[in-house]
Structures are given as C-alpha cells and as structure tokens.
Amino acid sequence: MSFCAAARVNALGSAPQFHNAVFCVIKIFLQVLGWLIAHTPEPLLDGLCGLLGRLMLLVAARRRRLVYSNLDHAFPDRSRDWKRKIARESSRRLFETVLISAAAPYLSEKRIRSMVTAAPEIAKFFGEHQAAPFPMLICVPHFAYWETLTWLSLFVPQPPPQFGVIFRPLNNSTLDAWVKRTRERFGMRLLSRKTGLQEAFKFLKSNSAVALLFDQNAGMNGALTTLFGRVCSTTELTDLLARKYQARASVCYPRRLGFWRLRFEDPEIPSAPAGANVALEANRWLETALSSDDNLCASWLWSHDRWRNQDMPDRRFRLEAKRDLLTEDLAAHGLAELPRRTRFWIRLPNWLGDVVMALPLLRALRASRPDAEITLIGKAVFLPFLKMTGVADRLEALPSRENGYFRSFWRMRHQFPDTYVLFTHSFRGDLEAWLTRARQRFGVVWPGKHRPLLTHRYDVPADFVEAERHQFEVWQNYFRRFGLVKEIERTPLRLDLPAAPNDASRSGNSTTTVLPHANDVVFGFIAGSENTPEKRWPIEHWRTLIQALAAVYPQAQFKLFGTKNDQPITSSIASGLGAKVEDIAGKTDLPRYIEELRRCTILVTNDTGGMHLANSCGVPLIALFGPTNPIRTGPIYSAPFEILQPPGCPRTGGGKLVDLRPETVLASVRRLVPAAAIRE
C-alpha cells in the first residue's frame, strides 16, 4: 500500500533534475500538512471534503466525464439522479481518503480505535487461523479509506506472527522509507512489489497472512477478464498465491459509517468449484457488492480508469494481455459470449461506394473486439443496407443539416462513447466526434493536413503515392496502426448478405466466366453517377450496347438502375427499346436495389457506389472508368469484374468515356457471358 499524497509526486522521482534536497522539502511539507489535518476539527474537514468533491466534478471536466462514463457503463439501467448521487459521494470520499492518509502518521492508537470498529467475521476468521494456522490471503478492493487497513492488526484477537501487505513503492527512497515507517506502526509489514514478493511467499509458506490490492488495471502483465461486462486486465497475483500455497482467500475492506468512521469487514470469497480462479471470484464478489450496496458503490473510486488497459492506442482495436481468462470468466457468469459494453462509434464515409469498401474492416473489428458495442453513424439512406450486413449493434442516422445538426452530436455525449473512429477527412466530421466527448478519436491524416481535434492519428507516409495505391489500402494501414492485424488478413473480401429468393451466390475474379441458365439472363446497367457527370458513359453508347446485346442474347432481360436523379438518363436510354428493358431507377429502396442487383447475370456500370455494392454482393460486373482512377477506387471484393478504360487512357485515369466504344464493352460482355453457354 502507498501513501496517496506521496504517490502524487511519484513521477518526480525519476526526473534527474530533482535532487534529494527537493524531496526532503516535499517530505517536510507532507509532514506539516499531515499534522495540521490530524489536528483540524473533523466537522471542518468534513465540509472541506464535500466542497472539494463537488468542485472536482464541477471544474475537472475530464475527471467528471470519467466518473459518469464509468457509472453509465457499469449501471446503464440506473437513473441519472442515482448516478449523480453516487458520483458526488464517491468524489467526496476520494478527498476523505486523501486527508486520512495524510493524517495517519499523527493519529494516536486511541483515536484510531475511536474511529474504527471491526465486524464479527474478522474475529471469527482470525480466530480460526489462531486455532489451526493456515495460509491467509486477504484481497483488498480499491474502496475509499483502503490504506487504513494497515491498522487491521489492532482489531484482531491475535494477529498472525507475520502479517504483510504488498504495495507499490515510490521512486524516491527518502519518501518511500518514510511511508513504510509510518504505515508499519502497528505491526503490518509493507512488502514491495519489486523486492518483497519472496517475503510474501515465505509468509504464506509459514501459514501467515498476506494482503494485496486486487486491481483491474494490471496492464499487459494481467489477464483478460471482465468487470461489469467490460474487458479489463486483472492482476493474477491473487490467484497465483492462492494456488501455490492453498491459501484461504477473503476480501477485507473498510465500510464507511460516517466521516472518518469505519468498520473493517472481511467476508471470505464464496466457495467456488475446485480450481476456480481467485482473481475471477474476487471480481465477481466486487460486482455483486457494488450492485447491491449503495454505500460500497459510493466508496468505489469511480474517478479511476478501471478499464484503461484496453484503451491503449496502439492496440485499441484488439484485446490483449499476458493471459486470456475470458472463456473461464464467461463460464463463471453463465454467458455464451462477451457482453458488448465497450462503445465503439464509427463515423462512416458520405458516399455509398466508400461505405461498402469500409465493411471488411468493420467485420475485422467485430472479430477482433467481440466486447465492442459497435455503433455506425451514417446517412439515413444507408442504414437498411447496414442492418443487413449484421456488423453493427446500433445504427445512428446523421441528423438533418438544418438547425440543430451539431447540437445533436453534443446531446450524444450523454451516451458516453469510448472510441470514435472516423472514415471521413473533414473538419466537420472531426467536430462531430469532438462534440460527443469521446475520449479517443481516431482518424487518417495526410501529409500537410492538420486535424487538431483528433486524439490519435494514422499519419500517411510522405512517400505514399496516392494515385498508385488503392484507398482501401490506406484504411487497412489505418486499422493496422491501432492493432488490427491478423483479423484483416483473415477477413474474406466478400459480403454474406441474407439471400434473396432464387439467388445463387457468386464469387471469383476477373477471369471467371459467367454461365447463366436459359430464361435467366439479366443484364443490369448503372448509367448515372451521383456526383460527377464526367464519369457517365454517354446515353447513345448505352442504347447501342443494349441493342447489340439484344441481338446476341434474344431471351435476355435488361434492367436500368439508379436514383431519382438518374431518371432523366435512364428514361432516355430505355425510350423505344421495348418491353424487355425495365427502368427501375428511383423506384427501389436500398434493400430492394440490392435484391435486384443480385439477380443480374452481369452488370455494366459507371464508377459509382452501385458498382461497389454489386461487387460486394457477388455480382459479376464490367466497370467503365474514364476520368477516375481504377487503381485507387476500383472494386475490391472477390466477385468477377473487369475494368475498361478508353483507348490511350493512363492506367491511373484521365480519359474521356465518350472514347470508350460500345463494341469494346460488348466484346467484354460476350467473353464473360458466352452466348453458346445459354440453352435455347
């Protein structure tokens, strides 16, 4: 155990510019401060702690948000008033703990005995130990007043001959020696995590007692477990000691009865099946205690980041620690899968094609973070399609651009997202994320660009030639940067949507031949382009192609796809071509659009979002690229496709689609859909 006030200067000990004289001054200051606190009337200290607790929640915005976020994650169904009450009381008790820790060296034994009592189970537990000694392991939760447990030996009938507590030493020897001396006044030995573990082993081996904090923020050296359904890294030292020495484990903690009035309680960890992990059992006890007892809940230090290990930026997109106990933890809770309690919000791109290309990465994230509740934020028109993919737990439509757009994001801050991942590159998107107050905001930053509202960024290398690399590769590198590596490689480039009636799955590559059945040949065409007229193949070329295809495939059907804005184009193409040409532009919602696309034998398309959508659904296609760059924005999924560009067009785009002749497109269609393969 460490002295709370002294711990605040712990980091200073590693700075070479601070000399021993400085720490002597700090030590004297803490001694004077502690003496003054110990001799100040308690009612005055009580009022001061109440004031400081409220002040912290008022002015320390980051700490306030952490408190309320932790409470909201742990108790999503409790009322806001209840959370506010617990937050205020927990903040007050934090300062009560700091003051009593500072005053502890100057409190007499008589005064301590007037402040503290012990529950009957403590006498019972230690009495059993006295009658028949056994290794005793005391697990200490991080409640307020937790450092007062160094007084425990004053309140047991017969303390064990050796009683140690494992603590994290300070970096300065002067302060560390003072803390140890003041905390060992009543016989409990402080055993350093760095040098004292062997002594702890000896204590247990000789049937004595060892106490230690069981922590849910053990970093990479801990084990993956859950606390209130959120993945954390729990120290396994409790389990290691219990197993190695067959120790009886209990949870000892101070129950606050009033200002500086405590009762030590020491329930044994409930009996568990043979071989059960003590660390997991201690976490389960803690969850039950905090959920059922508001007094204990208010003593839990909610201003500490219990789940920080899984917030580490470099591995934010994956779960990682020294060991993985999640399967065992879930079994202990009677669960088949991880609760999705870590809130990942994903701001999707604004264009359909980009949304479709982002999906493999979202599926990889889903596999890598099974504990994540994934919320996708995007245009309302995309949400039915996104629901079909099954990649998200929640869908959030972008608010109207009218009054209140940014106010809507500000209101979202009460949902306490943990992580906000942006596929957009605009200041507007960054401001949206900032307004939600998500603590971690991830984005891609191109050379020469500035995105000050991000907290974590993937910087595209200066030598990355954008025209020669696919946009999807940038996003892959972005997700790899923050820990998503293996899952990206394992995620197949296909999208398994619910099957449409009579729909056959298709997959392959650009060399695959499509073999349709008789009376089942449907040629689809996407002749529009939502944002760039230059990307549209001329209307007359489309009409010429359809007429030529009708001559080669007399039994075929033809469908024109598009939005309402494309209707002037599609109606001009269909005019006079007969009943076999069906114009459904603007007549389908997105799910129906997908269903109709999947019925196509092959699709001829401009460079549009519909091209990527069809490609993701396994529809073979021929994509017409002129001014745009197929290397950067071409199809990425494994369905058959072929890229056609005008004669003389650079491979990175820049040509005019009017120069791409219908005869060239017809030849590609005939190569992929041989007429001889169709039964008459």
Side-chain angles (χ1 to χ4, degrees):
M1 297 184 181
S2 63
F3 181 21
C4 284
R8 299 298 179 266
V9 299
N10 193 16
L12 301 180
S14 60
Q17 64 267 34
F18 286 92
H19 304 291
N20 286 334
V22 175
F23 285 99
C24 288
V25 172
I26 294 174
K27 175 186 169 184
I28 294 171
F29 169 77
L30 292 175
Q31 289 174 323
V32 172
L33 179 64
W35 187 91
L36 289 174
I37 293 172
H39 291 82
T40 299
E42 289 184 9
L44 184 60
L45 296 177
D46 186 10
L48 177 64
C49 288
L51 177 63
L52 291 175
R54 286 179 176 264
L55 191 63
M56 184 187 81
L57 291 178
L58 181 65
V59 302
R62 188 171 181 178
R63 188 68 63 179
R64 176 180 68 245
R65 182 160 184 83
L66 179 59
V67 170
Y68 283 110
S69 176
N70 284 341
L71 285 168
D72 191 71
H73 279 80
F75 304 105
D77 299 327
R78 300 285 180 95
S79 70
R80 184 175 293 184
D81 287 341
W82 179 88
K83 294 170 189 173
R84 186 180 295 111
K85 179 187 73 173
I86 296 296
R88 288 175 177 172
E89 188 60 26
S90 179
S91 300
R92 158 196 277 274
R93 295 184 188 187
L94 171 63
F95 287 99
E96 291 180 11
T97 302
V98 171
L99 294 189
I100 201 170
S101 295
Y106 308 100
L107 299 176
S108 66
E109 180 178 335
K110 179 180 179 181
R111 185 173 178 186
I112 290 173
R113 290 185 180 277
S114 71
M115 295 163 55
V116 181
T117 59
E121 65 262 21
I122 287 187
K124 178 176 180 294
F125 193 48
F126 281 86
E128 291 175 359
H129 180 271
Q130 182 182 5
F134 53 83
M136 181 185 295
L137 181 65
I138 298 175
C139 303
V140 180
H142 213 165
F143 288 150
Y145 296 96
W146 62 282
E147 290 190 18
T148 63
L149 288 173
T150 56
W151 304 338
L152 184 60
S153 57
L154 294 175
F155 300 92
V156 300
Q158 181 64 42
Q162 294 176 309
F163 199 167
V165 56
I166 298 174
F167 83 114
R168 189 182 303 278
L170 304 176
N171 288 337
N172 179 264
S173 58
T174 300
L175 288 176
D176 195 56
W178 177 61
V179 168
K180 286 190 65 177
R181 186 174 64 255
T182 58
R183 292 303 182 269
E184 293 178 340
R185 293 168 60 198
F186 305 113
M188 184 176 284
R189 290 272 308 281
L190 267 64
L191 309 176
S192 167
R193 276 183 177 269
K194 295 181 179 179
T195 60
L197 288 182
Q198 290 301 322
E199 287 187 84
F201 298 160
K202 291 178 183 178
F203 285 9
L204 291 174
K205 190 174 181 179
S206 61
N207 291 328
S208 289
V210 170
L212 75 160
L213 182 73
F214 68 94
D215 195 9
Q216 296 77 34
N217 188 20
M220 291 298 292
N221 291 321
L224 293 180
T225 62
T226 65
L227 184 68
F228 287 109
R230 296 178 74 191
V231 174
C232 59
S233 176
T234 297
T235 177
E236 280 202 288
L237 188 56
T238 50
D239 186 63
L240 183 152
L241 296 177
R243 289 180 188 271
K244 185 175 178 66
Y245 299 102
Q246 299 298 301
R248 281 176 61 179
S250 67
V251 176
C252 191
Y253 60 92
R255 175 183 288 275
R256 182 186 184 277
L257 304 179
F259 181 81
W260 283 15
R261 295 297 180 269
L262 317 171
R263 183 174 69 239
F264 290 151
E265 300 187 357
D266 188 30
E268 276 196 84
I269 295 178
S271 299
N277 189 296
V278 171
L280 295 183
E281 293 301 314
N283 273 3
R284 290 179 66 192
W285 175 90
L286 180 62
E287 288 176 339
T288 301
L290 297 184
S291 300
S292 59
D293 189 328
D294 280 5
N295 187 358
L296 289 184
C297 191
S299 283
W300 184 244
L301 300 182
W302 291 100
S303 59
H304 288 202
D305 197 347
R306 306 296 174 184
W307 297 272
R308 185 178 64 183
N309 182 64
Q310 297 310 315
D311 285 350
M312 301 300 287
D314 286 351
R315 53 182 181 270
R316 184 58 170 140
F317 293 176
R318 72 176 188 269
L319 296 178
E320 185 179 20
K322 185 177 181 180
R323 287 191 62 199
D324 186 344
L325 296 179
L326 291 175
T327 300
E328 187 177 344
D329 195 340
L330 292 178
H333 284 85
L335 299 174
E337 61 182 20
L338 277 172
R340 295 178 179 178
R341 291 287 187 86
T342 303
R343 298 169 187 172
F344 271 76
W345 286 18
I346 316 291
R347 174 55 160 96
L348 294 172
N350 293 318
W351 300 105
L352 176 60
D354 291 342
V355 170
V356 174
M357 288 192 291
L359 287 173
L361 296 172
L362 300 182
R363 292 164 61 206
L365 180 63
R366 169 84 288 160
S368 181
R369 290 299 304 254
D371 64 314
E373 179 195 64
I374 295 179
T375 297
L376 299 183
I377 304 172
K379 291 182 176 179
V381 69
F382 301 155
L383 300 193
F385 163 62
L386 294 169
K387 184 177 181 180
M388 294 171 65
T389 68
V391 75
D393 300 287
R394 296 177 61 247
L395 299 171
E396 190 81 40
L398 286 172
S400 168
R401 288 290 191 89
E402 298 173 359
N403 292 335
Y405 180 84
F406 290 110
R407 192 182 310 121
S408 298
F409 284 94
W410 179 244
R411 286 196 294 264
M412 291 180 190
R413 74 191 189 280
H414 295 304
Q415 299 180 42
F416 299 102
D418 297 301
T419 298
Y420 201 108
V421 181
L422 292 118
F423 281 94
T424 57
H425 303 280
S426 66
F427 177 78
R428 189 189 80 203
D430 294 355
L431 181 58
E432 295 167 3
W434 182 84
L435 288 171
T436 68
R437 311 309 290 159
R439 287 191 299 153
Q440 295 186 319
R441 303 181 293 277
F442 294 80
V444 176
V445 181
W446 289 89
K449 302 295 183 180
H450 300 283
R451 301 182 68 178
L453 297 182
L454 298 179
T455 60
H456 302 93
R457 44 191 279 162
Y458 164 64
D459 290 289
V460 179
D463 60 354
F464 187 92
V465 182
E466 186 175 358
E468 295 288 344
R469 312 283 277 276
H470 202 286
Q471 176 177 311
F472 184 61
E473 183 180 347
V474 177
W475 288 347
Q476 284 180 310
N477 293 337
Y478 170 27
F479 275 54
R480 287 189 181 105
R481 166 67 179 80
F482 299 110
L484 198 64
V485 179
K486 295 179 180 178
E487 287 75 13
I488 288 180
E489 308 303 327
R490 295 170 182 167
T491 302
L493 288 176
R494 65 174 184 270
L495 195 60
D496 300 319
L497 296 176
N502 302 318
D503 181 55
S505 62
R506 307 175 176 94
S507 64
N509 53 46
S510 60
T511 63
T512 302
T513 298
V514 182
L515 300 176
H517 295 294
N519 302 318
D520 196 26
V521 181
V522 178
F523 291 103
F525 307 98
I526 302 179
S529 175
E530 190 71 20
N531 58 343
T532 309
E534 291 77 12
K535 293 163 61 175
R536 301 170 188 162
W537 205 36
I539 290 174
E540 287 305 315
H541 285 8
W542 287 109
R543 289 177 58 85
T544 301
L545 175 63
I546 292 173
Q547 290 169 337
L549 289 172
V552 178
Y553 307 92
Q555 297 183 17
Q557 300 290 318
F558 304 91
K559 289 192 176 182
L560 291 162
F561 297 93
T563 65
K564 287 184 178 181
N565 293 335
D566 297 326
Q567 285 179 338
I569 297 171
T570 56
S571 62
S572 297
I573 294 171
S575 178
L577 294 182
K580 288 189 175 183
V581 178
E582 183 181 4
D583 180 7
I584 60 173
K587 301 176 183 177
T588 60
D589 57 15
L590 199 50
R592 170 77 189 285
Y593 184 65
I594 293 170
E595 180 181 337
E596 293 291 344
L597 281 175
R598 295 170 70 176
R599 289 176 176 169
C600 292
T601 304
I602 194 168
L603 180 75
V604 182
T605 173
N606 294 327
D607 174 17
T608 69
M611 172 193 71
H612 292 287
L613 186 60
N615 177 236
S616 71
C617 294
V619 180
L621 59 85
I622 295 172
L624 313 181
F625 278 77
T628 53
N629 182 356
I631 296 176
R632 175 157 176 72
T633 62
I636 64 168
Y637 287 88
S638 57
F641 67 87
E642 185 171 324
I643 302 292
L644 293 182
Q645 294 176 281
C649 178
R651 54 194 292 271
T652 55
K656 295 181 179 180
L657 273 177
V658 68
D659 297 332
L660 180 60
R661 305 304 303 166
E663 295 81 10
T664 303
V665 181
L666 176 63
S668 291
V669 174
R670 296 189 66 174
R671 183 166 58 254
L672 291 175
V673 188
I678 301 176
R679 299 194 303 271
E680 295 295 338

